[in-house]
Amino acid sequence: MRHVRILLVRLLVADLIATLAFFGLTRLVDQTGQITHGAGVVFYSGSAREADARIDKGIALLEAGKVDRLVMVGGHRPQEGIVGSQDMALVAIRRSGYGGRISADVSSRDTISGLQTLAGQPGLAGAEQLVFVSNCMHLLRAKSIYQTVSKGGPRARSACAKASLNPVDIWKRAHYEAAAWVFYILPEGWRDNIIDRLRGDDSQN
């Protein structure tokens, strides 16, 4: 039993070190200071606090002239009857007054489908550069996926929204991202079935 306890403690310590290292390294993906122009892509979050942070970051980029428009993506939940990206767009419009420069993709349910539909978004037509707005940990995954689905589309930059520094929140986000990476490498058919179960199937509506 003593050996089991020692093993568990070592695993816990290793997990915490890996989480902190991952959190620290992902701070490096923030390119806000290097962005001079582009179209902003703001990813949906089911957390009201995270959604607010991403909206505020997108608005700040607009006001600074670093992007000329924003497109909200993700959050389509057929089984719940909500379209998260649209809700975020409405909040951003009310908060900023930039009604003509903010739109939403109402079809994407997750990061992968949101990235796959970017090329067809009218709000992104002619963009030379895309600026992804989310938390840093998510942006590392989003940019990696974009490289595989963009098929020669605009270059992507990343702008990190303000993140919680609560250790519990960091631990949860790091492990969520770890699970999301595992999910991404699954066969596409498996991924679709899981998403249908978790977030609803449009074909049933």
Side-chain angles (χ1 to χ4, degrees), residues 106-196:
V106 298
S107 62
S108 55
R109 297 182 290 174
D110 56 278
T111 298
I112 299 172
S113 61
L115 292 169
Q116 289 172 332
T117 60
L118 287 183
Q121 292 301 312
L124 299 177
E128 297 179 8
Q129 178 176 261
L130 302 180
V131 180
F132 292 169
V133 179
S134 186
N135 65 72
C136 287
M137 293 192 213
H138 178 219
L139 286 173
L140 180 65
R141 175 166 56 94
K143 287 187 69 176
S144 298
I145 295 173
Y146 179 72
Q147 296 302 317
T148 67
V149 303
S150 63
K151 299 178 181 178
R155 180 176 61 172
R157 293 278 193 173
S158 52
C160 295
K162 184 177 180 180
S164 169
L165 296 179
N166 184 313
V168 175
D169 291 338
I170 293 172
W171 186 89
K172 287 179 178 178
R173 169 52 68 175
H175 287 74
Y176 175 90
E177 287 300 319
W181 276 106
V182 172
F183 175 75
Y184 175 61
I185 65 176
L186 292 174
E188 185 175 355
W190 294 14
R191 292 202 310 259
D192 290 342
N193 287 334
I194 293 172
I195 288 295
D196 287 345

Side-chain angles (χ1 to χ4, degrees), residues 3 12 14 17 21 43 66 100 119 183 205:
H3 293 300
L12 177 59
I17 292 173
F43 290 90
K66 291 180 177 291
F183 175 75
N205 295 331

